Structure formats: C-alpha cells, structure tokens
Amino acid sequence: MDALLFQVLAGLATGGIYASLALALVMIYQATHLVNFAQGEMAMFTTYLAWSLISAGMPYWAAFFITIALGFALGALIERIVIRPVENAPVLAVVVVFIALLVILNSIAGWIYTYTIKAFPSPFPKEPLFGIRYMSAHELGAIGITLVVLATLYLFFRYTPLGLAMRAVAQNPQSSRLVGIRVGWMLALGWGLAAAVGAVAGMMVAPIVYLDPNMMGGILLYAFAAALLGGIDSPMGAVIGGFTVGVLENLLGAFVIGNELKLTVALVLIVGVLLVRPSGFFGSVHVSRV
Amino acid sequence: MSRTNVILLAVLLTAACALPFIVSNYRTFQFTLVLVYAIALLGLNILTGYNGQISLGHGAFYALGAYCAAILMDKMGAPYWVTIPAAGAVCLVAGFLFGLPALRLEGLYLALATFALGVATPQLLKYHHLEKWTGGVQGIVIAKPEAPFGLPINADQWLYFFTLAVTLGMFLLAWNLLRGRIGRALMAIRDHHLAAESMGVHNALYKSLAFGVSALYTGVAGALGAIAVQFVAPDSFNIFLSIMLLVGIVVGGLASISGALYGALFIQFVPNIADEISKAAPWAIFGIFMIGFVYLMPTGVAGAVRLLLARRRSHEI
Amino acid sequence: MKSSFVVGLMAVALAAPAMAQKKYDPGASDKEIRIGNTNPYSGPASAYGTIGKSITAYFKMVNEQGGINGRRVNFISYDDGYSPPRTVEMARKLVEQDQVLFVFQTLGTPSNTAIHKYMNMKKVPQMHVATGATKWNDPKNHPWTMGWQPNYQSEARAYAQHILKTKPDAKIGVLYQNDDYGKDYLKGFHDGLGAKKSMIVKEVSYEVADPTVDSQIVQLQQSGADVFFNITTPKFAAQAIRKAYDIGWKPVHYLNNVSNSVGSVLTPAGLDKAVGIISSAYLKDATDSKWANDKAIAEWRQFMNKYYPDGNQADVFNVYGYTVAMTIAQVLKQCGDNLTRENVMRQAANLKGYRAETLLPGITISTSGDDFAPIEQVQLERFNGKQWELFGEVMGGR
C-alpha cells in the first residue's frame, strides 16, 4: 500500500511537470489553432536565459519575472518574424517551420551553453514540507505555481476583452478582422503568452530534471499526450491531463508492465481513451451539421 | 502524360542508370539511400499528401520493414530479394490494422496516435522478450548481397540497380493508382470527406487502405535501407526518423510523386551540407535550410517546379 | 622544354632511393596524415560531441608545435547524430572519398558495430573506438579494430567482487539505461556475481527520453535493496543521487565511471548527498581538488584555454579526448616514416607501459598481438564529500 502511495506522489510530481508544459501547448492552440512543437525548446531556451541572469548575480525572483518578460518578447518576436511569412501556407508547412525552430533552438543552446548539466535554483525550501519525503517542497511549489498560472489564464480568457479577442481570432480570423480586431497583434500576443507560460514551466522543471539542452524532449512528448487527453482547447484539461499521465506512467512502470514498456503502454492507453472520447476529457466536442 | 514529360523522364532514367559507373562507390551508396527515402516518402505522401491523414509515426513502418528483412536474412537465411515483398506484405497488414482504429481520430488526435507509435518503436524493438528475434540493443548485422549471375559489377552497383528497379516499380504503381479512381477518391476524402461520402466514396475503406498501402511502401523502403546499410539497431528508428520523413514530403511537395524524389534528395544531402558549414551547431544550419525552403517554396519543390513550368507555358501563349 | 623534362626525370631517379624508406598508404604523405572520425554532434547523444571537439583541438595544438615527425595531422570529423546508418555513410565517405589513413575514436557501440565488418573488410584501422563494449578486443577475428578505455564489463565485475568481499549478505538494486551501454554493464555485473546473482532483488531500467528516474528510485527503495548499482549517464545519475537522498534511502552506492565527475554530476546533485559513493576511475578528474596542483592537469587547462576555450573544463569528456588523442599521437610517432595501415595497427599493438600523465598514477597503456585492450586497469575510489579518495589496489590488467 505504501509503495502505491509513494508512486502516486512521485507521479503527481512528474505530472506537474507535464501539466505546466501542456498548458503552454494549449495556450498556443487557443491563440492560433496550431500545435507548436518548438514549445519545449523555447521553454528550455528561456530557462537558460534565466540561468545566465542568476549566474550573473541577480536574485531569483527578479530573474524569474524578467525571464517571463523575455519569454513573452521571444514568443512575440518569433511569431512576427518566423511564423508570419508562412501564415498562408498549408498547415504541414507550418509544422515543418516549428520543427525547424525546435532543432535551431536546441542546437544553439547546446553551442552556447554546452551539454553539461547545470543545477537550477529553486525558490522553495530545501526540506520536504509536512514530512512528505516523496514529494519535495519544490515539486509541491511547482504544482502550486502551475495552478496559479492556470487560474490566471482562465480569468484572462474568460473575463477580459483582450482574451475574448484572442479567442475570436483563433476561431475565425476573417470575421475578427471585419469587427476591427488587429489579427496580427493578437497572434503575436498569443505566442508571447504561450512562451511566457513555457518560461514558467521551464523554470519550475529545471530544478527537478537539471538544465541541459535536451531537457524538454521527453517532457514535450508526455505534455502533448496530456494536452490532447485533456482536450486541446481546455487549459484545465491540460493540467488534469498532465497529472493523469504522470501518475499513469509511474503506476504502469512500477506495478503493471515494468519500465521497459511503460512509455509504449502509457501512449497506447491514451490513444485508447481518445478512441472512446475523441476530443479528450474536457475538450469541446465539435458537431458538424451535414 | 505530355511529350516533354516523357522526354524528361527518359533523360532522368538514362542518367540514373549511368550513375554508378560515373561516380564512386561511396556516392552510389548515397544515391541508393536517396532512392530508399524516395520510396518511403512516396508512401507517406499517399497517406498524408493525397489522403490528408497526418502521420508522425511512419518511422515505425520503416523499422518494421527493416527488421523483417534483417530477421529473414539473418535468422532464416532467406535470400535478400525475398525480403522486399515480405516486408511489403507485413507492413500492408500492419498499416491497415493501424488504420482501422485511426478512423475515429481526426487531424491533431491522429497525429498524436501516430506520434505515440513513432515514439514507442525503439522501446518495442528493445523489449527483452523479443530479443531472440530482434537482437535487442545489439541489433542485427546483415551480409551484403553480391551481384548475381557473375555480372561484372560490384556489390554497391548491383544494390543500386536492384533498388532502382524496385523504385521504378513502386513509382509506376503509385502513379497508376493515384491518377485513377482511387487517387481521386483519396483526394476527395482529403478535401471534403462529407461530400465524398455522400457521393458514394466508402471513406472507411479507402482511409484504411491508404494507411495500408502507405505502410507497404515505407516498409519496402525500410527493407531496402536495411540491406544497403547492412545493420539494424533499435535506436536508428526513433521519432526523429518519422519527423524527417514528414519534413521530406513537405519540402519535396505534398500530393506529388516527383516531390518524393526532391524530398529524398533534401533529407539525404542537406544534413551533410549543414555539417560541412558548421561543426558547432550543424542542426541549427539544417533548421535554417528547412525554413528557407518552406518560405521560398511553401508548396514544396515540386509545387515550385509546377509553378515555374506553368509560367513558362503561359508566356509561350 | 625537353631538357627540363629530362632533368626532372633525373631528379626523381636520384631521389628515389631516399624515398624508398618512406612507406605510405592512402591518407599519409610527406606533409600530412589524414585521420577520420565520426561523433554525435547532434541528436540525443550530442553531449559526447565534446570529445570530438577536444580531439580536434588537440591536433590543432600538435600541428602548431610542428606536427608528428614533421607531418601535419588533418583530423576530419563528421557528425553521425548517433545514428548507425549515418555512421556507415560517413565512414564510407572517410575511407572511400577522403581517403583517410585510418579511422579514430568513432563513438558509440551501435555506430561502431555498424561499421565493424566494413572496416575489417577494407583493411582500414578502426582505432581506439570510443565505447566500453567488450567486443572490440578481438584481434583474431577483427584484426583492424581496437578499443581504448577500460571496458564496462570488467568495471562492473570489479564492483561485484567488491560487494562479494565487503557485504556478502547484500540485497542489490540496479538501475540501468536501456541501451547497449547499460546492458553491457549489467552483463558484467551478472558475470561478476556469478552464482550469487540472486543477490539482485530488483533491476529497473529507464530510457534516455524519460524526463526523470524518480519513479525508478522509489521502486528500488521499496524493494528493500541496501546496495545500489547505478548505471546511468550524467543527467540521470545526478537525479538518482538526489532523489535517493531526498526519500531517505541510504544504500551502499556504486556509480559507474561514465558519470562520476565532481563538477558535472556530483556538484549539481549536491556534494553532501554524494558522500560515500563508490566508483572507479582511470583518468584524473580535473574538477577534483585533489589534482588542483597537478602538473598534467595544469597543462591540460592551458591546452583548454588556448585551443578549446568554448569547452567546459568541468566536463571529464574533455580530459578523455585529450588523453586518447595523446595516445594516438604516440602511436603515430612510433610509426616514424612507415605510415602504412598495417604499421599503424602494429605500433598500436606495441605500446608497452606507455603513460599519459592525465591517467591516474599506476595506470599504464599496454597492448600486444593478442591484447587489443590498451587500458584495462581501474582503481576504486570513494567520495568523501569533497574529493574522490582512491583506495585499494589498481585492479585488472597485466
């Protein structure tokens, strides 16, 4: 029984990691109806920027917020400079651009910072909270921060005119333009926000998995699965999906199938769920009238 | 087909046949790999370009074909040419079976399912219960086939011609398939599946068949690739292979047969060029090439060629 | 015109006897020696690419200091992305197009397996392969292939023997990377335990694509193991060390040689969390304060500062690259003017007690006609919170 509980706790901890990146993926999707494969690498890159700031002596929280701003700027810039020219290209062409971004960011990070792992500081206390040893204070804190980001995003999209405008642009750019919304700026804003969320994710993840250019590779995979499991257009779904995937992966590996196949089985299960509920747990079901 | 096209094709064919006698063995080997990728890309294009089903996991079928060839040759002593149809048959069935549940998934969700397949492939190949057949992490080493009937060409050249013959056959088959009823049905499903269904096109059957045929092509390519490289190991067939295949068809040109060849040239040679330009960050250069190609030719090289030819024709009028 | 032709002919004829002593295979000449290499500069194993870069820098230094026997070294290194098909392609390019004299330090077990047969068929030396797999020491069947570093299996056997000697009632838990490297260590460990293999109560694996190994560490603790054999690469080793400490699991911890760097593994994990870890070494760890005033390490630092300033001096791979390059330089020096492939192999198999000073004291490089394993010795060491303390005898080798 203990073993089960410990694996669940460990699973919630890793699930928190997946949830934070899944949130960024959903953000980009809500703003642009595209899945950004380079999201993980963007998060990794901004985390390296944070590391540079902290190594230069800046206190943690100052670096934290400056990095969020830098992430936002990076995301908006990428949208304006890299994505804009292919706006009207077929979807798959845009996917290739995302893949190109992924390899470029990964390669440049490796070149500038080398591949040796770096420890990234955590703002949370070192001792485990409440005596729970299977989840460090940082892991609990990271989950907390993810939930705060989630709440902020929910409020933003639901109750602010800007959020409404962004959703409109994603759903129907032509009509939005007709109503006077600046479509281009909304897209840039969407990317900026997603990158900012990604930056937070990266800074929460790095203390756990250690900072190196390939940090986000495996996580992106699970985050993608988590986002789709929860419903690609539901931020809350992304977070719940993330925890589900984390716990599922741990339980499968420890008790069911062994670590050799846990990746396979976890993904098969997720696909299985999607077969039953094609839009994920909390996604909006699209009914098309014939 | 127009007369210019026929002439162009004849020229290309002649050049292809002359190639191994003009360039070194090493280059012949590289061009054999180009042909292998061309078949794989054609397969993926049938599914994604012509039928609109995104697959991020075609590396799995490539791996399946490769291991079929390796196991048949190494563990069962089968001759190399048997492995090609065998790999094709196994992958046809596997693709069809995968395509059936995939019917329920659209767009992104299908992408995830295929992504899962692509990611899971190395793990499955390393699974220790299958080790007796797959050789586990050590992989399987394959012997290179020699030229038959004592022909005066070396093994590399023979393999090139063998691959060329298979490529021509597969391309011809695809061309026939795609310009007829089946091709139109596939494209109709891609463009507007509701209208297609109401016109009597059996969506489910065609979509699953598309998966099967596409897997067949990629599996044949995998088998040929394994024979060319003479080695299969689980980590050669990771998700990156699937992603490279997708990049190949986009850069080459979606829904285009010639696009498969352009894409194959791209994914075979451009990484080498990028490596020569920068040792420090080779993939960054490769990524820049990818972006460059997509910017300049959003419909792929084939699309750009088509545009160029159309413009020339319109000027002649 | 005609007379100058005759003069030229005479000059060649006169020079011929002098040239008869020099023997060259493709890749060698009066002016240069071409050496080929493949390394993963991209892809999932790109962390190892720094080895290729440090070797490139070493030869730059050698060339600036006059070359080897007056010849410039042209080190041609290609990226293979750790993908065996690319390795095959690049190896063929090196041998058939670039016409290198030999191929050196190709990295990775699957990559080297892919070209093993080809290199031996072409009779081109596959020198000092950068992998610890055991199969490269096979002069009878593969006379053109030679390893360099102590192989993984013998290292694992050393740990097994230590456990049998010091803790015969141990319950062992093993964490291994699910690839050739991890499985090779595992095999050596099983062999070393022999009949006592049942001491292993739990074996868990992980993939390089996994984000963390936290779940696996929890599984190992739950199995009741009190000895832990940790077969992980640097990132996961750091995670494992930290997680074990955090959940209060304090086994006797054996850490594999690939991941025991003070600067790039123990420090991120937390030096206090790594106290008591046992590992083995054959190279000096530049981040270990024990070697702070060591002459060889100081020379290495000068080399890094001048020729590879982008390189990370906390990364033991850069000491590895430097040392193995030094070894091949020695082999080439011994070749003198006879730069045939056959002579390169002969000289490589003729190192008797050669010492590169960045190796630990007492460890030498020796080869012979039926011993293609240059370095076989390792020494066990224990981490005391600040440095690695070597203990016991230098093990293995002749």
Side-chain angles (χ1 to χ4, degrees):
Chain A
M1 199 51 219
D2 273 349
L4 184 67
L5 179 65
F6 298 148
Q7 286 295 350
V8 168
L9 282 175
L12 285 174
T14 32
I17 300 178
Y18 305 146
S20 53
L21 192 62
L23 204 50
L25 283 175
V26 165
M27 272 277 346
I28 270 273
Y29 186 81
Q30 284 209 305
T32 64
H33 272 204
L34 293 166
V35 174
N36 179 10
F37 287 105
Q39 200 69 51
E41 304 309 294
M42 283 166 63
M44 175 270 295
F45 201 77
T46 43
T47 311
Y48 265 111
L49 291 176
W51 181 85
S52 295
L53 290 173
I54 295 178
S55 300
M58 198 181 277
Y60 181 86
W61 288 110
F64 184 83
F65 285 107
I66 291 188
T67 305
I68 294 184
L70 281 175
F72 184 89
L74 181 70
L77 264 172
I78 289 184
E79 199 283 326
R80 294 269 88 184
I81 300 180
V82 179
I83 309 297
R84 243 334 193 90
V86 285
E87 250 169 11
N88 297 316
V91 168
L92 280 175
V94 187
V95 169
V96 170
V97 172
F98 288 153
I99 294 173
L101 265 178
L102 191 160
V103 295
I104 292 177
L105 285 171
N106 184 293
S107 197
I108 293 187
W111 176 42
I112 300 179
Y113 293 100
T114 80
Y115 288 91
T116 317
I117 63 172
K118 301 184 179 358
F120 193 83
S122 159
F124 302 106
K126 294 251 183 300
E127 291 72 41
L129 289 178
F130 319 123
I132 307 176
R133 283 174 314 164
Y134 291 88
M135 222 187 208
S136 67
H138 175 85
E139 284 164 340
L140 269 173
I143 293 179
I145 297 228
T146 305
L147 292 174
V148 166
V149 171
L150 172 66
T152 317
L153 284 178
Y154 176 74
L155 293 172
F156 174 75
F157 275 116
R158 198 71 161 69
Y159 294 113
T160 64
L162 202 56
L164 182 62
M166 278 177 58
R167 279 192 296 151
V169 162
Q171 242 182 19
N172 199 334
Q174 322 288 49
S175 304
S176 310
R177 205 172 268 124
L178 288 173
V179 229
I181 301 179
R182 301 279 295 276
V183 170
W185 283 114
M186 287 301 114
L187 288 173
L189 185 64
W191 269 77
L193 270 179
V197 171
V200 174
M203 289 190 283
M204 288 298 109
V205 163
I208 304 174
V209 301
Y210 293 108
L211 184 58
D212 85 320
N214 293 321
M215 169 173 92
M216 282 300 193
I219 299 177
L220 183 70
L221 217 141
Y222 284 113
F224 188 30
L228 282 169
L229 186 64
I232 190 69
D233 47 10
S234 160
M236 183 175 73
V239 173
I240 296 187
F243 288 123
T244 314
V245 169
V247 172
L248 187 73
E249 178 209 2
N250 274 16
L251 291 181
L252 278 173
F255 302 113
V256 178
I257 196 74
N259 294 294
E260 269 188 50
L261 279 187
K262 75 171 177 184
L263 182 58
T264 310
V265 176
L267 291 170
V268 165
L269 274 175
I270 290 166
V271 172
V273 168
L274 288 177
L275 287 177
V276 173
R277 262 194 80 85
S279 348
F281 286 144
F282 298 98
S284 38
V285 181
H286 295 279
V287 183
S288 38
R289 291 254 175 90
V290 183
Chain B
M1 253 214 312
S2 69
R3 224 181 44 155
T4 25
N5 275 0
V6 174
I7 296 180
L8 275 173
L9 222 63
V11 169
L12 196 65
L13 209 59
T14 324
C17 287
L19 193 76
F21 302 110
I22 306 178
V23 299
S24 65
N25 276 345
Y26 161 67
R27 289 269 179 236
T28 307
F29 169 71
Q30 282 190 312
F31 279 104
T32 311
L33 287 180
V34 169
L35 291 173
V36 165
Y37 285 132
I39 302 179
L41 291 178
L42 186 55
L44 184 57
N45 222 341
I46 291 176
L47 184 68
T48 301
Y50 285 97
N51 195 230
Q53 299 189 70
I54 302 183
S55 170
L56 286 173
H58 254 53
F61 298 117
Y62 189 91
L64 187 57
Y67 267 88
C68 268
I71 295 175
L72 280 172
M73 283 175 74
D74 187 64
K75 305 268 187 285
M76 303 193 204
Y80 64 95
W81 45 270
V82 159
T83 66
I84 311 294
V90 169
C91 288
L92 176 66
V93 172
F96 187 81
L97 288 177
F98 191 84
L100 281 177
L103 288 171
R104 279 200 47 107
L105 300 169
E106 282 292 321
L108 267 180
Y109 298 89
L110 179 62
L112 172 67
T114 51
F115 192 53
L117 183 65
V119 165
T121 301
Q123 258 213 337
L124 279 168
L125 291 170
K126 285 192 265 193
Y127 188 47
H128 70 264
H129 285 318
L130 296 174
E131 237 170 52
K132 207 165 52 106
W133 294 105
T134 63
V137 293
Q138 297 289 339
I140 305 177
V141 180
I142 308 174
K144 201 183 208 148
E146 287 289 331
F149 322 122
L151 286 170
I153 53 177
N154 63 41
D156 282 316
Q157 291 167 328
W158 166 246
L159 193 60
Y160 172 83
F161 283 119
F162 180 72
T163 311
L164 184 63
V166 175
T167 309
L168 284 172
M170 304 294 281
F171 266 68
L172 208 65
L173 187 66
W175 181 69
N176 230 351
L177 208 73
L178 290 168
R179 71 176 178 150
R181 239 180 75 232
I182 299 183
R184 286 197 294 275
L186 290 177
M187 286 188 272
I189 296 176
R190 173 195 69 192
D191 292 332
H192 206 300
H193 63 101
L194 278 174
E197 184 83 48
S198 43
M199 296 279 277
V201 175
H202 196 313
N203 271 10
L205 182 65
Y206 276 103
K207 284 173 83 168
S208 315
L209 268 179
F211 236 107
V213 171
S214 158
L216 183 153
Y217 269 74
T218 313
V220 165
L224 285 168
I227 298 174
V229 173
Q230 300 176 259
F231 180 67
V232 291
D235 288 308
S236 326
F237 304 110
N238 56 23
I239 188 65
F240 211 67
L241 174 63
S242 300
I243 292 181
M244 272 292 101
L245 291 176
L246 190 72
V247 170
I249 59 167
V250 172
V251 168
L254 290 167
S256 142
I257 294 185
S258 57
L261 193 58
Y262 298 128
L265 286 166
F266 183 84
I267 60 180
Q268 172 59 31
F269 288 114
V270 175
N272 293 353
I273 299 176
D275 190 30
E276 308 228 346
I277 295 180
S278 159
K279 198 63 88 236
W283 282 95
I285 307 289
F286 183 59
I288 294 179
F289 267 103
M290 279 188 343
I291 293 188
F293 268 78
V294 172
Y295 278 9
L296 294 171
M297 300 178 269
T299 43
V301 175
V305 166
R306 219 178 289 141
L307 216 67
L308 232 96
L309 289 175
R311 270 206 205 119
R312 261 193 67 232
R313 235 173 273 137
S314 68
H315 283 168
E316 284 166 4
I317 295 176
Chain C
M1 263 286 275
K2 226 169 157 209
S3 58
S4 61
F5 177 68
V6 173
V7 169
L9 209 60
M10 281 179 58
V12 169
L14 284 172
M19 277 179 23
Q21 283 138 313
K22 299 186 187 165
K23 288 206 271 197
Y24 296 131
D25 265 351
S29 71
D30 279 356
K31 296 265 174 36
E32 77 165 5
I33 305 173
R34 275 201 300 277
I35 306 179
N37 166 271
T38 61
N39 238 226
Y41 293 111
S42 68
S46 27
Y48 297 104
T50 192
I51 296 178
K53 293 184 193 167
S54 56
I55 297 177
T56 308
Y58 185 86
F59 285 127
K60 204 162 104 175
M61 176 176 79
V62 161
N63 287 338
E64 272 186 29
Q65 291 171 356
I68 299 182
N69 293 329
R71 293 178 182 85
R72 222 182 127 261
V73 172
N74 186 356
F75 183 65
I76 306 174
S77 177
Y78 291 131
D79 175 30
D80 72 346
Y82 207 69
S83 166
R86 289 281 301 273
T87 318
V88 170
E89 190 193 330
M90 292 303 130
R92 293 196 61 165
K93 184 173 183 191
L94 288 166
V95 170
E96 296 173 36
Q97 188 169 301
D98 297 319
Q99 304 258 310
V100 295
L101 181 62
F102 60 93
V103 155
F104 170 65
Q105 266 274 302
T106 39
L107 196 142
T109 306
S111 317
N112 278 296
T113 309
I115 61 175
H116 203 185
K117 245 203 219 156
Y118 171 78
M119 299 300 291
N120 279 277
M121 184 193 71
K122 283 284 197 180
K123 302 204 169 58
V124 175
Q126 190 186 2
M127 288 299 300
H128 297 155
V129 294
T131 120
T134 322
K135 59 178 155 181
W136 315 117
N137 181 6
D138 183 18
K140 216 160 44 143
N141 297 317
H142 294 100
W144 297 93
T145 308
M146 187 184 291
W148 183 76
Q149 66 204 70
N151 68 63
Y152 300 142
Q153 287 188 21
S154 52
E155 183 189 334
R157 274 199 298 271
Y159 300 140
Q161 274 148 24
H162 191 253
I163 296 174
L164 288 172
K165 208 165 55 166
T166 58
K167 207 170 173 7
D169 60 345
K171 294 209 271 285
I172 309 176
V174 183
L175 173 65
Y176 66 97
Q177 187 161 294
N178 190 15
D179 64 3
D180 53 74
Y181 140 85
K183 292 217 164 157
D184 213 21
Y185 265 116
L186 193 62
K187 175 162 189 304
F189 195 60
H190 285 171
D191 290 346
L193 289 175
K196 298 280 202 169
K197 210 168 88 166
S198 52
M199 283 164 76
I200 302 178
V201 294
K202 190 98 175 143
E203 267 174 20
V204 289
S205 71
Y206 71 95
E207 304 286 332
V208 175
D210 283 349
T212 76
V213 288
D214 289 358
S215 169
Q216 283 88 338
I217 298 292
V218 173
Q219 287 175 41
L220 287 173
Q221 186 205 34
Q222 289 302 305
S223 72
D226 52 13
V227 172
F228 175 31
F229 182 23
N230 186 353
I231 312 172
T232 53
T233 44
K235 179 168 98 152
F236 299 103
Q239 288 176 4
I241 295 172
R242 189 198 57 212
K243 188 71 178 176
Y245 181 88
D246 283 348
I247 60 176
W249 185 40
K250 295 190 192 348
V252 178
H253 188 151
Y254 290 86
L255 180 62
N256 73 101
N257 169 268
V258 173
S259 306
N260 64 12
S261 158
V262 173
S264 39
V265 176
L266 301 186
T267 308
L271 292 177
D272 52 329
K273 302 185 180 161
V275 175
I277 295 184
I278 299 175
S279 182
S280 69
Y282 59 98
L283 288 170
K284 292 177 182 167
D285 181 351
T287 55
D288 193 332
S289 46
K290 190 165 63 236
W291 307 112
N293 296 320
D294 178 78
K295 184 160 152 283
I297 290 293
E299 271 173 21
W300 174 79
R301 278 199 206 286
Q302 275 180 341
F303 153 75
M304 288 295 288
N305 288 333
K306 184 151 181 231
Y307 295 100
Y308 187 20
D310 282 344
N312 191 336
Q313 294 194 14
D315 192 343
V316 71
F317 291 150
N318 290 328
V319 180
Y320 174 95
Y322 177 83
T323 314
V324 71
M326 208 189 283
T327 312
I328 196 69
Q330 171 66 22
V331 170
L332 287 172
K333 269 194 215 112
Q334 278 178 211
C335 288
D337 280 336
N338 182 349
L339 287 167
T340 58
R341 288 167 174 158
E342 200 224 326
N343 196 28
V344 169
M345 280 319 291
R346 202 178 325 128
Q347 296 306 323
N350 192 22
L351 293 171
K352 304 291 179 216
Y354 169 66
R355 250 205 76 77
E357 287 302 324
T358 37
L359 288 168
L360 284 180
I363 295 187
T364 59
I365 301 183
S366 296
T367 49
S368 76
D370 48 313
D371 170 23
F372 272 23
I375 306 180
E376 294 172 281
Q377 301 160 303
V378 291
Q379 184 153 26
L380 292 183
E381 50 183 15
R382 193 181 276 111
F383 192 67
N384 66 11
K386 288 216 202 57
Q387 296 176 349
W388 284 103
E389 275 172 4
L390 300 165
F391 68 89
E393 304 278 301
V394 168
M395 300 169 78
R398 312 182 184 192

